[in-house]
Each structure stands twice: as structure tokens, then as C-alpha cells.
Amino acid sequence: MTLAILSALHDELAALLPELQGALVERLAGRDFHRGRLAGHDVVLVLSGIGKVAAAATAALLCERWQARALVFTGVAGGLAPGVRVGDLVVARQLLQHDLDASPLFPRWEVPGRGRSHFDTDAALAAALEVAAAEVLASPHPALQAFGVDAPQVHRGLVVSGDRFVSSADESRRLRTALPQALAVDMESAAVAQVAADFGRPLAVLRSVSDRADDQAHVDFPRFLAEVAAPYAREVVLAALAKGRD
């Protein structure tokens, strides 16, 4: 059985590919699926694509074509909750699409036909990511100093997703008001969670906080991705897989 690892952005996938043993690449639906062994596990690595539709299609292909036994999704996110700072890691416990609104036919955020708005991640997989993330953050990351980050933390809880890059203080404030439990915002995870639930597959989500989802959200993003988020994703995934092998 294959474990699927989705990367939201190319830098994260590129950080993992050199660790993949016996790599084979198959192209389907405009996506390159990299199969092989990673830290003693059979895996398939792939870019999710940006946005909910691209990520959902990728997740469906992983579940159907590769019969993935579980999915692990890494990416970046904007921090929403107080105390969720640049350089922190967020492990999702629940996911919700903040831009989904089929009212008055259905309550705001509820997925039509599913009777719910929140999708849980897998408790065991999430716990493994949390332990691995804490271990990774316990070691100094020199790159963080350039971003004024010290003592990064691991957060766990609600992550919300929508087809919009949240990059203004006003929009961030509206999200916090509407969804006060939300720790961070991204553009894909909740859509992957819906697909994983449809297929009955466990899902875990790790997000590196690259900004505060406000007017400064664009500052040094490429550098943060290359120097912080991609190494985080590689190190946490490898650490979690090593524990699963043991």
C-alpha cells in the first residue's frame, strides 16, 4: 500500500525528491507522480497544484489510480490566530472551506450533500506529525534569524481554505471574526480533506506559517519558501516516516 505525499509548491517537492529511492515517474492529467521508497515506506510524491480544484483532482487521482492508503499534505499558510507567527508550524486537526456558502439552501460553510462543514484529519497521523514537528523545531534553524523568528512553535487545530490568497489586514480580520477558532488559512487543504473523506482515506496536514495573511503577506515569500518551508516539510515528513517504520 502506498502513502501519498502532496506538496503544495515545487520547492517542497524538490526538497523531498533527492531522498526518494528507486524513483519512477508517471505523468497523468498534467501531473508528474513520483513513486519509490522514502524512509522505508512505499510512497508517491506529487504537486497538488494551487487552489481547491487542482488539489482535489490530485487527491482523487492518488486515491483511485494509486490506491493511496493515506495522504500527507505539506504547504505554507497565513497565520490567523493570535500567537501563530511566521516560522511556526500548524498541524491541522480540522479543515473547513471558508469561501463555501450555499445559503440559504444550506448553512454557511456546509458542504452540500455531506451535512457538515468541518472535516477531521486522522488523529494518529496528525499526532505523528506533531511529534516530528516538535523535534524539528527543537533544533536551531539559522535561516529563521533572517526573518526575525525565534522560538517557533507547533500549533494544532482548525485550518481553513479558500480559492483566494488572503493578503490584507481587513480580509484577515473578517476571517478571524467569522471563524475565531481558525489558526491559519491556505488554498487547498480543506478540499483535499473532502476528497479523502469521500474515499475513506486518512489525511494529515502540515503547514508552515509564511506570513500573517495581512498586508505584508507578500514580503520575502520566495525566500521563506526555499530556506524555511521546504526544509521544514522535508525534515518533518522524514522524521514522521522514520517513527512509523520503527
Side-chain angles (χ1 to χ4, degrees):
M1 297 290 288
T2 299
L3 172 68
I5 301 174
L6 299 89
S7 300
L9 296 167
H10 180 268
D11 297 65
E12 295 168 319
L13 177 66
L16 278 171
L17 284 178
E19 309 291 337
L20 190 65
Q21 298 177 336
L24 297 172
V25 182
E26 184 171 345
R27 189 163 180 83
L28 180 63
R31 296 156 170 82
D32 288 330
F33 294 83
H34 304 260
R35 294 183 293 123
R37 297 276 292 177
L38 188 67
H41 297 263
D42 291 326
V43 301
V44 54
L45 310 180
V46 63
L47 279 177
S48 67
I50 296 174
K52 293 192 299 179
V53 173
T58 304
L61 287 170
L62 289 166
C63 292
E64 178 65 21
R65 172 65 177 82
W66 279 274
Q67 292 294 301
R69 63 177 174 83
L71 297 89
V72 174
F73 192 14
T74 70
V76 296
L80 288 176
V84 178
R85 304 182 306 160
V86 172
D88 287 354
L89 290 172
V90 176
V91 177
R93 287 292 188 167
Q94 287 189 315
L95 296 149
L96 172 147
Q97 298 177 54
H98 69 78
D99 60 348
L100 179 57
D101 188 354
S103 61
L105 299 178
F106 299 89
R108 186 181 182 186
W109 305 311
E110 182 177 305
V111 177
R114 296 305 303 268
R116 57 175 168 152
S117 56
H118 294 68
F119 288 79
D120 295 333
T121 56
D122 181 77
L125 280 178
L129 281 184
E130 288 172 18
V131 171
E135 290 181 356
V136 169
L137 293 188
S139 300
H141 280 252
L144 289 178
Q145 296 177 3
F147 296 91
V149 175
D150 60 355
Q153 301 179 47
V154 180
H155 306 271
R156 54 202 59 78
L158 175 65
V159 173
V160 298
S161 306
D163 277 317
R164 176 176 175 81
F165 185 78
V166 178
S167 59
S168 75
D170 285 344
E171 189 169 8
S172 180
R173 190 179 304 111
R174 287 195 296 270
L175 276 177
R176 289 196 304 271
T177 299
L179 295 161
Q181 300 303 313
L183 297 175
V185 58
D186 67 27
M187 295 181 64
E188 300 89 15
S189 297
V192 173
Q194 183 177 335
V195 173
D198 285 346
F199 280 90
R201 300 294 200 274
L203 168 69
V205 174
L206 173 75
R207 289 279 168 167
S208 302
V209 179
S210 60
D211 57 80
R212 280 291 303 171
D214 57 20
D215 302 289
Q216 301 301 314
H218 61 287
V219 175
D220 281 335
F221 178 79
R223 185 180 174 194
F224 182 91
L225 177 61
E227 297 182 12
V228 179
Y232 268 175
R234 179 188 65 242
E235 293 168 22
V236 173
V237 166
L238 291 176
L241 289 180
K243 289 182 180 300
R245 182 185 58 203
D246 297 340

